[in-house]
Amino acid sequence: MAAELGTDWEVISEGHPGRTTVFDDPIEGKHKNALRSLQAILESHRPLDVVAVMLGTNDLKARFNASAHDIALGVQRVVLEIGRSDCGLNGQAPKVVLVAPVAVAETGIFTETFFGAATKAASLPSLLHAVAERQGAGFADMNEVATIDPVDGIHLDATAHTAIGRAMARAVLKTCQEH
């Protein structure tokens, strides 16, 4: 993503393995809840031109028993919090690009952890696109450019990471032009 955007941009990665949208994880810990750490993350990097949000995969874990609709509402809650922040330029809220993560498959070592996730994951992109439209955010669907690594059904290989980086750069530029 940084290479695609060029030297005029600084890309800050705040990915965290196992991060959920709004759920405290009873096994991995409440620190996995994105909403709990969001304001601190935003404030530590201000000012921000744009924030890309790609969440929802870990909400598909069977332990949360969340519908795709509820996961999309959790993502919407995160987007709303970003919209309430003053961490953008001139004390405004930063722009937001909402990103649909690559759909999971129920295979490999995570089959039980993500039992029932594949069906929900398939409906997430359209639900997240609707959230983006309601909230005036940009949108990108990573299912259009990448697939998960079939070894474990959750993670991405190097080829997928490269494709996602390029697609994210395009989505950021498009959002900055339109919004």
Side-chain angles (χ1 to χ4, degrees):
M1 182 177 175
E4 281 294 305
L5 289 171
T7 58
D8 289 342
W9 289 81
E10 178 184 4
V11 176
I12 302 164
S13 176
E14 278 289 347
H16 183 76
R19 183 175 278 158
T20 67
T21 56
V22 297
F23 299 111
D24 290 346
D25 193 311
I27 294 170
E28 297 180 48
K30 63 184 178 183
H31 66 285
K32 298 291 185 173
N33 180 332
L35 199 58
R36 286 184 178 272
S37 58
L38 181 62
Q39 287 303 324
I41 290 169
L42 293 173
E43 289 178 16
S44 69
H45 298 297
R46 76 167 64 165
L48 296 163
D49 293 300
V50 61
V51 175
V53 177
M54 186 168 71
L55 291 168
T57 299
N58 291 297
D59 295 37
L60 292 165
K61 290 176 179 174
R63 71 182 67 133
F64 298 117
N65 196 31
S67 68
H69 176 75
D70 285 343
I71 293 167
L73 290 177
V75 172
Q76 179 173 275
R77 176 88 189 275
V78 170
V79 172
L80 287 168
E81 287 300 313
I82 295 167
R84 286 193 262 280
S85 81
D86 62 354
C87 296
L89 299 174
N90 301 315
Q92 301 295 312
K95 296 175 177 91
V96 176
V97 178
L98 185 50
V99 182
V102 178
V104 303
E106 295 170 53
T107 186
I109 63 170
F110 296 112
T111 299
E112 290 300 317
T113 302
F114 285 88
F115 182 77
T119 301
K120 294 176 192 179
S123 62
L124 268 179
S126 62
L127 293 167
L128 294 175
H129 187 254
V131 169
E133 286 184 341
R134 281 194 306 272
Q135 301 307 319
F139 178 76
D141 182 358
M142 293 302 109
N143 292 284
E144 295 174 359
V145 299
T147 58
I148 54 91
D149 188 334
V151 171
D152 70 10
I154 304 300
H155 295 101
L156 306 165
D157 63 16
T159 301
H161 276 282
T162 299
I164 286 172
R166 289 183 176 134
M168 292 288 288
R170 288 189 301 270
V172 163
L173 291 172
K174 182 178 178 187
T175 298
C176 288
Q177 291 169 352
E178 292 178 355
H179 298 270

